[in-house]
Each structure stands twice: as structure tokens, then as C-alpha cells.
Amino acid sequence: MALDAPTLNSLGFAKPPSETRVVVAMSGGVDSSVVAAQLAEEGYDVVGVTLQLYDHGAALAKKGACCAGLDIHDARRVAEDMGFPHYVLDYENIFKDAVIDEFADSYLAGATPVPCIRCNERVKFKDLLETAKDLEADCMATGHYIQRKMGEHGPELHSAEDANRDQSYFLFSTTPEQLDYLRFPLGHLPSKDATRELAARYGLQVADKPDSQDICFVPNGNYAQVIEKLRPGAAEPGDIVHADGRVLGTHNGVIHYTIGQRRGLGIGGLEEPLYVVKLDVDAKQVIVGPKDLLSTRTIPVREINWLGDTPLTSQTEWHVSVKVRSTRPPREAIIRPLSDTTAEVELLTPEEGVSPGQACVFYQTESSRILGGGWIWRG
């Protein structure tokens, strides 16, 4: 007689919720607060952990940032209301070393970095995940909008149900081992409104708290200001040069420009609209040219995290869809592996403004599955 398979709880473990410990990464926002409240209500042994990522004094003055003093207070209050323990860990130095310094350096090298990916990869899903294991948790849950589904070969990463909230672009570097341990309880929800409704149902005081918009350590989205503070002397003036070699004007620092920028170049009176097509940090030059120079078909990608069922190098070509910006829909492409971690990606339709420092994320075409991704490194 066949034995019945053990019943799994909602987190996928064959034991009662009360015997399943889950660490919830709590930023103080509505998403992670709902995750913690929901799991606590379901009877899990919840432990809330909030990371202090940078200086409170500087952070308290601004709205719309995550992990600042007010957010720690909000996370702690949710834990008190729902009756589970909550810890604040000081990760300021780790965050500076793993995220902020690289952000400044790659920005100065003319790239357009995405520090939120590095934060997930190097801080939240690395150090915090290890902390969760130290706390003898069975798994760690976050408020990210992404789905983890069980496939034939183990857990798979899938886009969120709500395409408008999907955070897969920022989580492509999640490894199979991390995916084994992580849970994303909000990924299947139809909308952010559904999350806020749950928050109201649990009586959370953060139910109407606005979403954080900016990168947490970049107030008001002013990158240049932050870079100048981190790397004094970075805003040195130089020439604005046309791609054909003509000097068209001067600028007050390469860090004030991004690839694809058209407005605010300070070079009027020209017949053709010009765009920033390249930043040459060593020569202190902002290179501008017509829009067609921004089109890219071939993208070199490195530091690839591959989530397919067979190794990346098991095929000479992979026909997939890729995203080269978080705000753009996936486009059809071919990945041609060069090694386990490097590849050349050919876009079937050229894209504009593909920029070194951004991520190139791979999706299974006609499917919600994420096959990994890598970093674009020379445009």
C-alpha cells in the first residue's frame, strides 16, 4: 500500500507552521510588513529582521527612502502589533563596501549602475540569508514581487503575476542555492492594491505608506550630488565632442550626463538633435551624436548567473527574450555563450541606450520563467 505524501504547509515544509521558523526581511514598507503579518497570522514562528544600511542622521531628513530611521521604527511597530521578535542589524559598513563604493566607481567610469541588484545579491541574499540560517530558520521570506515555483529540476524563478510590480530585473542574480531557501509570498498577487488591502485587514499602520521611489542612498534621484560627496573632484570640466571629432562646447563634469540623454546638453543652435552616445572619463569628454549611434544589436555580458535546467555552455545558442532596462519589456534575442559566465547577446531588434553597468536579464520566451542574466560591460 502506497504511503500518502506528507502534507506541505504554505511555505513548502512537511510540518506544522508553528514548528517552521521563517525570517522575514523587513524594510518598514507595506510589502514586507504584509508578508510578516500574513505568516504570523498563519501561525509560523516569525522573526523580523531589518537592516540599517546607511547613516540615520542623513536619512531621517528625507522621505521615500528605505531602511532609514523611520522605516526601522515602522518595522518594529508591525512586529510588536503582530507579536513576533524583531532585530535591527547594522550593515552600514557591509553596504558601503559592497554597494555604495562600486556604485560610485562604475558611475565615474561612465557606466549606469543598478545598485539595488548588488544590494540584493551581496547584502540581502548573502549576509542576511546567512544570518537567517544562524537563527535556525527554515527559510527567509521577502516582500519582493517575484514568484518561486517548483519545477522538474527544483525551484524556478518566475516573473510576478502583476507585470507592473514585477521585480525580476533586480533579482536575476539569485542563485539556485539561494532560491532553495527564499520565499516570495506576494508574487502571485494581482496588484499593489491587493497588498494594501491585506495590510488594512491586518490593521497595519503602514497600509497607506507610500512606496520608496529612489535608490535609498540617492536623495531625490540626484546621482551627481552623491558621487561628488563620495569622490571629491569627480565633477571636473571638459569638452562636449561630436562623434565626428568637432568640439561643440564644454561641460562641468562627466558625472552629470548619462547615455541616451538629449536635454540639458547646453549646445543649442544645431540643426540635428544630438544625444549622449559615449562618456570618456579619462579624456573628460562627453561624446554626442545622432540618434542612430545609440542603436545596439550586440551586447557583451559578463558575471552571468544562469538559472536554466542545463548548463549555459551546453548549447551554442539560446533563443530567449531579454530586458536591458528595468522599465522596458523583454525583447527577443539570442545568447551565444563564451564561457560559464560570459556571453554575447544579439538583439533581433536593435535597442537604443544600452548602457554598460546595466543588467541584461534572460527570460524564457512565451513564459514567465527567468533564466538568469548578467552585466552589460562595454557599450
Side-chain angles (χ1 to χ4, degrees):
M1 194 177 98
L3 289 172
D4 288 344
T7 317
L8 302 181
N9 63 31
S10 64
L11 292 177
F13 297 98
K15 52 185 177 178
S18 60
E19 289 170 26
T20 307
R21 176 170 293 175
V22 51
V23 161
V24 180
M26 298 181 71
S27 67
V30 65
D31 299 326
S32 54
S33 297
V34 164
V35 168
Q38 187 172 24
L39 294 172
E41 196 193 51
E42 285 178 28
Y44 286 98
D45 176 9
V46 173
V47 178
V49 175
T50 301
L51 304 182
Q52 182 193 319
L53 294 180
Y54 62 99
D55 178 57
H56 275 181
L60 281 174
K62 75 175 282 258
K63 284 195 167 84
C66 79
C67 308
L70 177 66
D71 295 315
I72 290 173
H73 169 76
D74 286 344
R76 183 176 288 141
R77 198 166 57 182
V78 168
E80 274 173 18
D81 290 349
M82 299 301 296
F84 59 82
H86 175 257
Y87 301 99
V88 178
L89 305 180
D90 181 355
Y91 273 34
E92 218 167 297
N93 290 340
I94 293 172
F95 186 66
K96 186 176 183 306
D97 294 345
V99 180
I100 296 183
D101 285 343
E102 185 195 60
F103 168 82
D105 293 338
S106 67
Y107 203 87
L108 284 177
T112 311
V114 193
C116 304
I117 298 176
R118 289 300 197 197
C119 181
N120 289 325
E121 175 190 321
R122 295 177 172 174
V123 181
K124 291 177 183 167
F125 292 175
K126 184 171 170 258
D127 294 295
L128 178 55
L129 201 125
E130 287 308 316
T131 299
K133 288 179 177 173
D134 291 343
L135 290 168
E136 296 179 353
D138 294 284
C139 63
M140 181 170 108
T142 78
H144 288 108
Y145 287 88
I146 194 163
Q147 300 188 79
R148 172 191 186 274
K149 296 182 177 182
M150 286 311 287
E152 242 178 281
H153 300 273
E156 300 172 351
L157 204 58
H158 286 257
S159 305
E161 190 65 37
D162 176 8
N164 294 321
R165 304 295 310 174
D166 177 55
Q167 288 174 296
S168 57
Y169 184 83
F170 300 100
L171 295 166
F172 78 84
S173 61
T174 308
T175 65
E177 296 75 35
Q178 291 167 341
L179 196 53
D180 209 39
Y181 194 69
L182 288 163
R183 301 292 186 274
F184 309 108
L186 301 183
H188 67 284
L189 292 180
S191 68
K192 179 75 181 213
D193 290 344
T195 309
R196 292 198 184 279
E197 281 165 23
L198 282 172
R201 201 180 91 202
Y202 298 129
L204 303 181
Q205 295 178 38
V206 293
D208 299 318
K209 186 174 177 174
D211 290 340
S212 58
Q213 296 299 335
D214 301 324
I215 292 168
C216 66
F217 58 90
V218 183
N220 321 320
N222 189 337
Y223 292 75
Q225 206 177 358
V226 172
I227 304 292
E228 278 184 78
K229 212 181 258 183
L230 293 167
R231 301 284 186 272
E236 291 177 16
D239 291 330
I240 297 177
V241 183
H242 194 284
D244 63 15
R246 287 177 291 152
V247 175
L248 301 179
T250 57
H251 64 78
N252 60 355
V254 170
I255 60 169
H256 298 289
Y257 298 84
T258 53
I259 304 283
Q261 180 179 336
R262 181 185 166 194
R263 297 181 190 285
L265 300 182
I267 43 169
L270 297 163
E271 286 175 19
E272 57 170 354
L274 294 176
Y275 299 79
V276 176
V277 296
K278 190 180 173 207
L279 299 170
D280 186 334
V281 177
D282 297 329
K284 299 187 175 69
Q285 288 182 343
V286 173
I287 294 133
V288 298
K291 195 174 189 182
D292 60 353
L293 287 182
L294 282 171
S295 276
T296 306
R297 189 183 275 281
T298 308
I299 306 172
V301 177
R302 63 183 176 188
E303 284 185 69
I304 290 173
N305 177 55
W306 179 248
L307 294 172
D309 295 332
T310 57
L312 178 64
T313 49
S314 65
Q315 290 180 204
T316 52
E317 288 190 351
W318 295 86
H319 290 255
V320 297
S321 297
V322 302
K323 261 190 190 196
V324 291
R325 287 267 162 118
S326 63
T327 50
R328 294 186 190 170
R331 303 275 174 91
E332 284 189 54
I334 300 166
I335 303 171
R336 296 190 176 92
L338 301 170
S339 74
D340 290 336
T341 56
T342 57
E344 204 165 75
V345 174
E346 183 193 340
L347 301 172
L348 300 196
T349 314
E351 281 254 21
E352 286 171 3
V354 174
S355 176
Q358 294 276 323
C360 178
V361 180
F362 314 146
Y363 298 81
Q364 205 166 41
T365 305
E366 305 299 321
S367 154
S368 60
R369 186 171 179 191
I370 295 128
L371 294 171
W375 296 91
I376 301 167
W377 64 286
R378 46 163 210 272

